[in-house]
Amino acid sequence: MLHVANIGSVTAILSRDGVPKKITYTHTASDKAERERVISNGAAVSSSGQVNCVTTVTRALGFHGDVSLRHSLSQKPYCNSVPLFASDEFLIIANATFWKYLGPTEACNMCKSLLAPSLRKLIHIFTTLPNEVRRKPCPTPQLSTTTLWSLTLGTILKTAP
């Protein structure tokens, strides 16, 4: 059994028999229930989906000092328990910036190619992944080390001896 909990825009995708399966919930103001909850707590949601013109997420950690967001954002995570099967290949955990440039299927295909038996060494994943991600045009500052580490961490956990 795999237990996951998330808040904000972090999404976990489990590759099951080559098919991406989303196992988390994205908490943003574009979700009707989340939008209504933050508005009922006194926040304003802009047309671009930003809560109080600060963030697009409706559940987050770290905004306790921001009076305008403290009572509007929730720290309650989405929790999910997923049974694991022999057909489960790996887990990808990444934030919204990563998913903006790679879809679940493309990310899973990229991981599969990187996880071929001859490519399982940690150093190879770190040196190959940034080049693969940059195949799509994107401004480098938006791809953080955290984003790349999130994807890499999920692949390492599944392939560790």
Side-chain angles (χ1 to χ4, degrees):
M1 186 71 71
L2 174 66
H3 305 285
V4 294
N6 80 298
I7 59 172
S9 65
V10 174
T11 300
I13 300 288
L14 177 66
S15 179
R16 179 169 284 162
D17 202 22
V19 178
K21 175 183 171 85
K22 185 177 177 181
I23 60 173
T24 53
Y25 186 83
T26 306
H27 301 105
T28 62
S30 61
D31 178 271
K32 184 180 177 184
E34 288 292 303
R35 182 184 199 93
E36 289 173 358
R37 185 184 54 73
V38 296
I39 291 172
S40 71
N41 286 334
V45 178
S46 70
S47 59
S48 64
Q50 288 196 321
V51 179
N52 288 352
C53 297
V54 175
T55 182
T56 57
V57 296
T58 56
R59 295 178 188 234
L61 299 175
F63 287 104
H64 298 292
D66 189 324
V67 178
S68 69
L69 292 174
R70 185 178 346 175
H71 301 292
S72 303
L73 299 183
S74 173
Q75 295 81 38
K76 183 179 178 185
Y78 168 81
C79 300
N80 191 11
S81 294
V82 181
L84 293 176
F85 300 98
S87 60
D88 293 339
E89 300 164 301
F90 50 82
L91 177 67
I92 304 171
I93 305 168
N95 65 18
T97 303
F98 179 87
W99 298 114
K100 180 177 177 182
Y101 296 102
L102 287 176
T105 301
E106 185 176 11
C108 285
N109 290 342
M110 184 176 66
C111 280
K112 260 187 159 170
S113 69
L114 291 173
L115 294 174
S118 61
L119 302 177
R120 289 190 181 188
K121 292 184 180 178
L122 175 63
I123 189 68
H124 186 78
I125 293 173
F126 274 113
T127 57
T128 305
L129 186 58
N131 293 331
E132 291 291 336
V133 172
R134 289 191 191 113
R135 287 182 310 139
K136 285 194 165 190
C138 66
T140 305
Q142 289 189 5
L143 275 179
S144 67
T145 304
T146 304
T147 303
L148 296 175
W149 172 247
S150 295
L151 173 67
T152 307
L153 177 61
T155 61
I156 292 167
L157 290 175
K158 184 65 179 182
T159 60

